[in-house]
Amino acid sequence: MIDIPEIPKDQIQQRVVAMWLGSFYGSSGYVAKRLGKKGLREFQDMGAHQVADTFKRLELSEPKDLAVAVATNDKNLFGSEVSVVEGDGWVEIRRERCAIKEGINAFARLGAGLVAKQHCKTCIESHWRKVFADLGMKLEVEEKDEGCVMKISRL
């Protein structure tokens, strides 16, 4: 029998990021090629609505609960350095280091046509803004060199 090696957590997270990026951009590229920009927008809208519906089914309806859920995945699945800060009527997801953005930059260095700025715009405008709007919330975003700050509040 051959021993199967254990992979350290940071390497698992890097592989999860690579798999997520490959799946997301592979699917998006195919949809865009077959259905054009309008089809891609519909595909992205459908994904955002599904995420919002999942949050609703999980009964996550408060900005704080949603921010903790997002930050938990970012930290544990992807390896991002992330925190959640709550204020009066708002909550912020602070990504000091976004592992997805880091993964995009790594792919770009290997010759992939992905650019972190383009990804960040897609992440914010084509996904999270729509998710939070579906949940009756407003999203403000400040992009940082290695991450971003997403401020969530009720409409």
Side-chain angles (χ1 to χ4, degrees):
M1 182 170 293
I2 298 172
D3 287 337
I4 307 299
E6 293 287 325
I7 301 171
K9 183 178 177 180
D10 65 325
Q11 289 181 23
I12 292 170
Q13 291 168 330
Q14 288 173 352
R15 290 178 186 204
V16 169
V17 166
M19 289 172 61
W20 187 90
L21 288 170
S23 176
F24 178 77
Y25 282 104
S27 299
S28 295
Y30 178 79
V31 169
K33 183 177 179 180
R34 298 288 291 176
L35 303 175
K37 287 183 180 182
K38 183 180 178 193
L40 179 59
R41 277 191 304 276
E42 290 174 7
F43 177 71
Q44 291 168 335
D45 288 350
M46 185 175 63
H49 296 311
Q50 287 175 343
V51 169
D53 287 344
T54 299
F55 284 144
K56 288 174 188 174
R57 277 185 259 124
L58 293 171
E59 298 181 1
L60 297 174
S61 58
E62 294 301 316
K64 177 184 173 184
D65 298 333
L66 293 162
V68 169
V70 171
T72 298
N73 282 349
D74 282 6
K75 175 182 177 178
N76 292 288
L77 295 177
F78 303 135
S80 295
E81 291 176 19
V82 62
S83 61
V84 174
V85 176
E86 189 174 22
D88 187 24
W90 56 267
V91 65
E92 289 180 341
I93 301 169
R94 295 182 181 175
R95 289 181 187 88
E96 299 302 321
R97 185 184 59 78
C98 176
I100 298 291
K101 188 172 184 176
E102 210 170 64
I104 289 283
N105 288 332
F107 278 134
R109 285 190 297 275
L110 295 172
L114 304 175
V115 177
K117 271 280 195 217
Q118 291 170 327
H119 170 76
C120 292
K121 182 179 178 191
T122 299
C123 180
I124 295 161
E125 300 303 330
S126 299
H127 184 71
W128 288 117
R129 192 170 309 282
K130 292 175 184 180
V131 169
F132 291 116
D134 275 7
L135 297 168
M137 295 179 201
K138 178 177 142 186
L139 175 65
E140 298 172 50
V141 179
E142 179 186 352
E143 289 188 47
K144 303 282 189 173
D145 287 339
E146 295 185 33
C148 69
V149 177
M150 292 175 36
K151 185 175 187 177
I152 306 158
S153 56
R154 292 230 174 257
L155 288 174

